[in-house]
């Protein structure tokens, strides 16, 4: 019985040590500026391949207003998912609770780049409130960031389905964007399709390396690229 108690105490002590190490690791992974508006290191500009989103929405039976706007007659290619403040490790989110209600006129002004009102509201609440900018200033920053990135010709008028590798997508973006390196771009995918291209940018919207983002990139050998819809 005494031996059992000793083993039990040793097990409890070992668990406590493991728990303390885990707590320390989690704390280290979180930036000390956590969720302070304007206190971050760089942006990630996320560009979603709209045809992949629309195919996935169709497979899931989604049919709300956002799907109607993005997946209707207009042939959207890459659209802006968001501009996300980042730390070197981790990222802030929901930096104001509740977030100031976004002006509907700003939402309407962004539909050419982000053709989903629900997405625009969510991006402001989750990411925009962390940028340390006004509502209008944040969405102007999104527009500037998008204007700073050239889309490769093969993704502007993609009328036929094709298969690519993540490296080929990266190379296409690097070719038409001087200063962009493979350490500043990450290609994302779902089970089989190209889903997003994420580009890391400094606060003044210059391309910059981002190891943590690059580590999350798609590892599949081949990606399907659905063609543009409508149009």
């Amino acid at each position: 019985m005494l031996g059992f108690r000793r083993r039990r105490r040793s097990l409890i002590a070992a668990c406590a040590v493991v728990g303390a190490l885990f707590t320390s690791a989690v704390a280290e992974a979180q930036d000390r500026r956590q969720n302070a508006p304007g206190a971050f290191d760089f942006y990630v500009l996320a560009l979603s391949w709209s045809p992949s989103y629309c195919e996935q929405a169709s497979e899931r039976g989604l049919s709300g207003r956002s799907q109607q706007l993005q997946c209707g007659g207009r042939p959207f290619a890459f659209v802006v998912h968001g501009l996300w403040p980042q730390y070197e490790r981790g990222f802030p989110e929901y930096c104001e609770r509740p977030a100031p209600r976004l002006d509907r006129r700003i939402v309407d002004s962004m539909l050419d780049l982000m053709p989903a009102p629900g997405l625009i509201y969510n991006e402001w609440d989750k990411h925009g409130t962390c940028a340390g900018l006004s509502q209008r200033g944040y969405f102007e920053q999104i527009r500037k960031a998008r204007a700073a990135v050239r889309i490769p010709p093969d993704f502007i008028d993609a009328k036929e389905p094709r298969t690519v590798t993540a490296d080929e997508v990266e190379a296409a973006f690097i070719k038409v964007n001087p200063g962009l390196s493979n350490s500043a771009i990450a290609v994302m995918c779902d089970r089989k399709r190209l889903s997003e291209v994420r580009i890391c940018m400094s606060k003044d919207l210059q391309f910059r390396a981002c190891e943590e983002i690059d580590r999350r990139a798609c590892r599949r050998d081949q990606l399907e690229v659905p063609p543009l819809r409508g149009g």
Side-chain angles (χ1 to χ4, degrees):
M1 187 69 170
L2 182 60
F4 171 77
R5 288 176 178 171
R6 285 175 177 170
R7 289 195 298 273
R8 184 170 181 270
R9 285 198 296 269
S10 296
L11 179 60
I12 291 172
C15 290
V17 170
V18 171
L21 290 173
F22 176 77
T23 300
S24 175
V26 171
E28 185 179 350
Q30 295 294 329
D31 193 279
R32 293 178 181 177
R33 299 162 294 176
Q34 191 68 27
N35 298 338
F40 62 95
D41 298 312
F42 64 99
Y43 288 113
V44 168
L45 175 66
L47 302 173
S48 293
W49 184 244
S50 180
S52 291
Y53 166 79
C54 293
E55 283 201 3
Q56 186 180 65
S58 177
E59 292 168 357
R60 296 171 60 188
L62 302 177
S63 58
R65 184 174 178 228
S66 291
Q67 288 73 40
Q68 293 170 1
L69 286 174
Q70 186 170 168
C71 305
R74 183 172 174 181
F76 286 106
F78 275 110
V79 298
V80 175
H81 181 173
L83 184 66
W84 306 333
Q86 301 283 302
Y87 304 130
E88 296 297 346
R89 299 180 62 181
F91 54 89
E93 60 181 3
Y94 299 109
C95 294
E96 292 187 58
R97 291 180 180 270
R101 182 62 174 171
L102 184 59
D103 189 326
R104 180 56 195 247
R105 291 171 296 182
I106 294 177
V107 175
D108 292 341
S109 75
M110 293 302 297
L111 290 174
D112 61 321
L113 297 185
M114 306 172 73
L119 169 66
I120 297 171
Y121 282 114
N122 182 71
E123 290 302 297
W124 165 248
D125 290 353
K126 186 174 182 179
H127 302 290
T129 56
C130 299
L133 301 170
S134 67
Q135 293 182 359
R136 190 164 299 280
Y138 173 65
F139 285 97
E140 287 176 353
Q141 191 79 330
I142 289 179
R143 194 167 289 280
K144 290 176 184 176
R146 173 59 188 84
V149 175
R150 293 188 63 188
I151 303 299
D154 287 348
F155 293 94
I156 293 175
D157 190 23
K159 294 180 179 179
E160 300 294 333
R162 60 195 179 104
T163 300
V164 299
T165 67
D167 286 346
E168 288 172 341
V169 178
E170 283 195 7
F173 271 84
I174 290 170
K175 182 178 180 179
V176 298
N177 287 282
L180 181 64
S181 69
N182 57 14
S183 63
I185 180 173
V187 175
M188 314 305 290
C189 59
D190 60 17
R191 292 183 301 105
K192 58 183 180 180
R193 290 177 288 247
L194 168 68
S195 59
E196 281 193 350
V197 171
R198 297 178 180 175
I199 297 174
C200 299
M201 310 177 84
S202 63
K203 286 186 173 183
D204 61 355
L205 305 181
Q206 302 299 308
F207 302 131
R208 56 101 78 191
C210 49
E211 294 181 4
E212 187 176 47
I213 305 302
D214 197 41
R215 284 197 296 268
R216 301 178 197 156
C218 179
R219 303 303 177 195
R220 295 191 179 280
D221 292 334
Q222 292 189 321
L223 306 176
E224 295 178 11
V225 182
L228 271 59
R229 301 168 65 89

